Amino acid sequence: MEPSRDHPLFGGAFSATLPAGAQDVSDLRPVPDNQEVFCHRGTEQSLILELLELQDHVRGERAARFHFEDVGGVQGAEEAGPGQVESVRPLPLDALALQGCSEAWLLTGHQRVAKEHEEP
């Protein structure tokens, strides 16, 4: 079995540890510049990392939820509206490589989105 591996994201600005079997979708088709997309053939699950624009009208945990719901709504996600949030937690700023952040949040959740021409 293939081990998990570190993979550079967004031209090396970030990195992530990907699970075994994750394939970079940009090797198969074009992916927008603000996204990194990985898929797993065996499970047909996808992992999408997306850079989002700052929204001045929401802050903190509300901002994380706003973006999660916005992305889910645009994609037509189902299951309790635009998705199911499992947790939202602040990230310690001293653990971030990105300098100058006043806050950082990690939202973990699930969204069920149908692929093109499929039922969710």
Side-chain angles (χ1 to χ4, degrees), residues 34-98:
N34 68 318
Q35 291 182 346
E36 294 280 356
V37 182
F38 302 91
C39 64
H40 191 279
R41 285 187 214 139
T43 63
E44 294 190 19
Q45 293 179 333
S46 299
L47 172 64
I48 303 170
L49 298 121
E50 186 160 355
L51 294 177
L52 303 168
E53 185 175 336
L54 175 67
Q55 301 294 310
D56 287 328
H57 65 284
V58 290
R59 292 278 187 226
E61 180 179 336
R62 286 184 42 230
R65 290 179 182 275
F66 171 85
H67 287 295
F68 182 75
E69 292 169 2
D70 184 56
V71 168
V74 169
Q75 297 297 324
E78 64 172 39
E79 287 187 13
Q84 181 65 42
V85 174
E86 288 182 8
S87 67
V88 183
R89 64 180 176 86
L91 295 175
L93 299 181
D94 60 353
L96 300 177
L98 187 61

